[in-house]
Amino acid sequence: MQLGVIGLGRMGRIVVDRVLDAGHDVVAFDLSEEAVAAAADAGAEPADSVADLADRLGDDKRIWLMVPAGDAVDATLDDLDPHLDENDVVVDGGNSHFEKSVRRAEACSAAYLDCGTSGGPAGAELGFSLMIGGPQWAYDEMTPVFDAVATGPDGHDRMGESGSGHYVKMVHNGVEYVLMQAYGEGFELLAEGRYDLDLESVSRTWNNGAVIRSWLLELCEEAFREEGTDLGDVDDHIAGGSTGTWTVQEALEQEVPVPLIYQSLAERFGSRADDRFSRRLANRLRYGFGRHEVARKDE
Ligand SMILES: NC(=O)C1=CN([C@@H]2O[C@H](COP(=O)(O)OP(=O)(O)OC[C@H]3O[C@@H](n4cnc5c(N)ncnc54)[C@H](O)[C@@H]3O)[C@@H](O)[C@H]2O)C=CC1
Ligand SMILES: O=C(CO)[C@H](O)[C@H](O)COP(=O)(O)O
């Protein structure tokens, strides 16, 4: 099979390498010439534009987008669409919002698969977990590519109609926030609590047979090993948050209670403000109702 890959960053490059390793051909394009040259060094055929990539693919095009979610996906689809017909398949493997994926699928001249991708850079060796939405025939057609990019046949499946792949990935990320928060709270208590503990040792011990072992816990072990048991100079600021926000918005719309996901998201937002207005007001209100002393900034 011949696959066009657009977007050759952390994730797209893994798609290229795994598809090449499985014996398929790859045509690769990125706005970054360095990224295209590196993919060519790995065995991909370089393209210098979206149109050039489409020309090199011939009929029955199979194309994987791995560009940042949002405008980059729309811009790429605008450039691609004049070259597409109903026999072609486009996969969006990024973290797009599921509703945008439904709209893009309706507008696209090709069959459109929304593909939630999980596994991060570790997927280079292990393969990814792929959650795919869209037409069954297009999923079947892309199966050799999904087998190569995922951990294997069990690492991908069609979740359902258009949008369902990115919907499942959105909820996956909400769960990811909660697990991170849960490990964070447990280790915070261990770090601040009454014993002088080596947290790398704790996480290694938990990772070997404990009920709460997991890949995220292995990443905790790696973090304590590389940064130290006090996490050294790692800041308490957590970036990101788009996929968790979407999960909470959808839960509100469906009237499904997700207090843990919301709380984990709020913790992220809270981490970005070191001078919280709500805390300052609560501090002042305690004076109002109880004449409790107000802590002042210069004290
Ligand atoms: N990094 C991660 O662990 C994961 C990322 N994702 C999703 O995968 C997608 C890609 O993420 P990364 O590879 O981490 O991003 P990245 O920033 O490492 O790579 C994106 C690449 O796309 C290229 N690009 C941007 N706009 C382009 C355009 N219009 N045409 C062609 N190339 C363009 C950039 O030059 C860059 O090489 C995102 O939607 C992200 O949310 C999903 C799961 C995990
Ligand atoms: O999808 C992912 C992991 O599963 C990506 O790492 C994504 O970039 C996380 O983004 P955010 O933390 O902003 O939701």
Side-chain angles (χ1 to χ4, degrees):
M1 182 179 272
Q2 188 190 33
L3 181 73
V5 180
I6 301 176
L8 307 171
R10 286 166 296 193
M11 300 292 281
R13 185 50 205 277
I14 295 172
V15 172
V16 169
D17 290 345
R18 290 186 66 86
V19 170
L20 287 171
D21 284 350
H24 305 292
D25 296 325
V26 171
V27 182
F29 173 67
D30 193 291
L31 292 179
S32 154
E33 289 176 13
E34 293 77 30
V36 176
D41 285 345
E45 183 180 336
D48 60 19
S49 66
V50 168
D52 183 37
L53 177 135
D55 284 347
R56 290 171 188 274
L57 290 176
D59 292 336
D60 296 347
K61 299 174 185 57
R62 309 291 177 246
I63 299 170
W64 189 301
L65 310 185
M66 212 63 196
V67 298
D71 292 345
V73 177
D74 288 318
T76 306
L77 289 172
D78 284 348
D79 289 347
L80 262 182
D81 210 62
H83 307 275
L84 299 176
D85 64 39
E86 72 278 3
N87 297 315
D88 301 326
V89 180
V90 175
V91 178
D92 174 12
N95 271 330
S96 296
H97 191 284
F98 70 97
E99 285 175 331
K100 284 193 175 170
S101 297
V102 172
R103 286 200 290 274
R104 287 169 183 151
E106 284 165 1
C108 188
S109 300
Y112 195 82
L113 296 175
D114 50 284
C115 173
T117 305
S118 180
E125 284 181 26
L126 300 172
F128 294 131
S129 166
L130 302 176
M131 298 137 257
I132 298 145
Q136 182 72 53
W137 77 263
Y139 173 77
D140 293 342
E141 190 63 33
M142 293 298 290
T143 293
V145 166
F146 293 142
D147 284 346
V149 175
T151 54
D154 287 341
H156 63 87
D157 210 347
R158 179 176 175 269
M159 302 291 115
E161 64 202 79
S162 185
S164 60
H166 281 149
Y167 191 86
V168 173
K169 178 60 176 21
M170 174 189 77
V171 175
H172 159 288
N173 280 26
V175 173
E176 179 182 287
Y177 286 32
V178 174
L179 294 177
M180 289 164 66
Q181 182 66 21
Y183 286 124
E185 290 184 12
F187 280 112
E188 183 166 342
L189 180 55
L190 293 177
E192 305 294 336
R194 58 182 74 210
Y195 291 98
D196 184 18
L197 295 165
D198 173 348
L199 298 186
E200 183 195 344
S201 164
V202 172
S203 44
R204 183 176 57 248
T205 308
W206 281 353
N207 274 320
N208 284 276
V211 169
I212 57 171
R213 65 190 182 276
S214 72
W215 186 50
L216 279 172
L217 188 58
E218 288 171 25
L219 296 179
C220 293
E221 184 182 335
E222 176 187 279
F224 294 129
R225 184 168 58 251
E226 294 180 359
E227 306 288 349
T229 204
D230 64 353
L231 289 181
D233 63 358
V234 175
D235 203 358
D236 68 345
H237 175 285
I238 319 168
S242 57
T243 55
T245 302
W246 301 341
T247 311
V248 171
Q249 287 169 338
E250 172 64 2
L252 290 171
E253 206 163 311
Q254 299 297 332
E255 299 189 10
V256 173
V258 291
L260 299 179
I261 297 176
Y262 172 71
Q263 192 62 41
S264 306
L265 177 67
E267 193 67 31
R268 266 194 204 206
F269 294 157
S271 78
R272 298 171 200 173
D274 45 27
D275 192 24
R276 299 282 301 278
F277 196 88
S278 59
R279 293 177 188 160
R280 292 173 58 213
L281 183 58
N283 172 19
R284 181 60 179 74
L285 287 176
R286 289 187 73 254
Y287 173 79
F289 63 67
R291 290 295 180 261
H292 304 295
E293 195 177 346
V294 181
R296 300 281 173 185
K297 284 186 176 188
D298 55 357
E299 286 168 3

